[in-house]
Amino acid sequence: VQADGTDGNCVTFVLHDEDHTLGNSLRYMVMKNPDVEFCGYCITHPSESKINFRIQTRGSLPAVEPFRKGLNDLMGVCQHVLDTFEVRLLPEELRGLF
């Protein structure tokens, strides 16, 4: 959902079947970008598993770019955690099963 009168620098993304776990983590990753002026999310209703995730950028940077970068950075962090877990905590015979 793009705000009227903007050129794509203020967008609300609707994420279905998600909750605070993704919302807060993704908000943190997106806010690390210095070109992001505002980033926040809300759960529309406790009985719905849907997030409204809003990003507003400075200048003409499209909001979809920091959104995509935030998702990729978050996937990288999750992969690093999984790799570290497998190397340090799993017995060698169970590695690669997860």
Side-chain angles (χ1 to χ4, degrees), residues 21-72:
T21 304
L22 177 68
N24 197 36
S25 302
L26 184 57
R27 183 198 59 77
Y28 173 77
M29 298 305 278
V30 170
M31 281 303 297
K32 290 172 67 173
N33 186 332
D35 293 325
V36 173
E37 187 171 20
F38 174 82
C39 180
Y41 75 96
C42 67
I43 305 268
T44 56
H45 189 273
S47 66
E48 294 182 27
S49 56
K50 180 171 70 171
I51 292 176
N52 288 337
F53 194 88
R54 183 180 174 111
I55 299 175
Q56 182 173 341
T57 60
R58 293 181 174 89
S60 62
L61 178 69
V64 71
E65 289 183 23
F67 182 66
R68 185 177 291 122
K69 182 177 180 349
L71 287 170
N72 287 329

